[in-house]
Amino acid sequence: MRSIRIILGLTFLLLIVPSVQAQKPVLTDEDAVTEMVTKEVNEVFQSQEFTKKKNKKFADVKGTMVVDIGVVQNGKVSSFFKLDSDIKNIDFINFMSNYILEHKFQFKLEKQQRYKIRYTITF
């Protein structure tokens, strides 16, 4: 009877541990949020999927964009605002905006927290 309890207890722990490890980290420091947003957005823009989609419709678009990316509690992008750009193709800017607005970051923020991160990308 005791061995059954031990086996059940160990099985229970083995089932819980992966879900605890899989949870997204909660960031509380603005510098850490800025670093993670920059890292993840860089990865998005350098991904094969993004490059393929961009080159399919906007292969000739070159230049730099400065944007503000708003991030809310659950890691979702709440806003994408173009501050400055030498890229004048409105369709490309809308494509960029929609692409980032669909992204969900691999972290969470504390309740009621929101951050706006300034990001510069060159194509």
Side-chain angles (χ1 to χ4, degrees):
M1 188 66 154
R2 180 179 162 108
S3 63
I4 291 174
R5 285 185 185 164
I6 291 173
I7 291 172
L8 288 175
L10 289 174
T11 303
F12 179 73
L13 286 175
L14 289 174
L15 292 174
I16 286 182
V17 169
S19 66
V20 169
Q21 291 175 346
Q23 290 181 352
K24 295 178 182 181
V26 177
L27 301 181
T28 57
D29 180 54
E30 187 171 358
D31 291 336
V33 173
T34 300
E35 184 180 326
M36 286 297 290
V37 167
T38 302
K39 177 181 173 270
E40 284 191 41
V41 173
N42 281 338
E43 289 172 0
V44 166
F45 289 145
Q46 293 171 1
S47 71
Q48 265 188 325
E49 178 187 351
F50 175 79
T51 305
K52 187 176 177 180
K53 286 183 180 182
K54 179 200 172 284
N55 289 340
K56 185 175 182 179
K57 288 186 173 182
F58 306 105
D60 60 329
V61 174
K62 304 267 189 266
T64 301
M65 291 176 66
V66 179
V67 298
D68 279 344
I69 299 172
V71 183
V72 293
Q73 177 184 341
N74 57 2
K76 287 186 178 180
V77 177
S78 62
S79 63
F80 178 92
F81 183 76
K82 176 189 69 100
L83 296 169
D84 189 27
S85 177
D86 55 5
I87 298 171
K88 303 300 180 203
N89 185 329
I90 299 298
D91 291 333
F92 178 73
I93 294 168
N94 288 336
F95 164 74
M96 289 288 302
S97 175
N98 291 334
Y99 202 88
I100 291 302
L101 286 169
E102 292 174 2
H103 183 72
K104 188 164 183 181
F105 290 102
Q106 299 302 308
F107 61 85
K108 292 182 178 183
L109 303 175
E110 290 181 315
K111 288 188 180 215
Q112 305 300 318
Q113 285 291 84
R114 177 192 180 123
Y115 289 99
K116 184 170 56 171
I117 310 303
R118 183 137 311 150
Y119 180 79
T120 303
I121 181 73
T122 301
F123 297 100

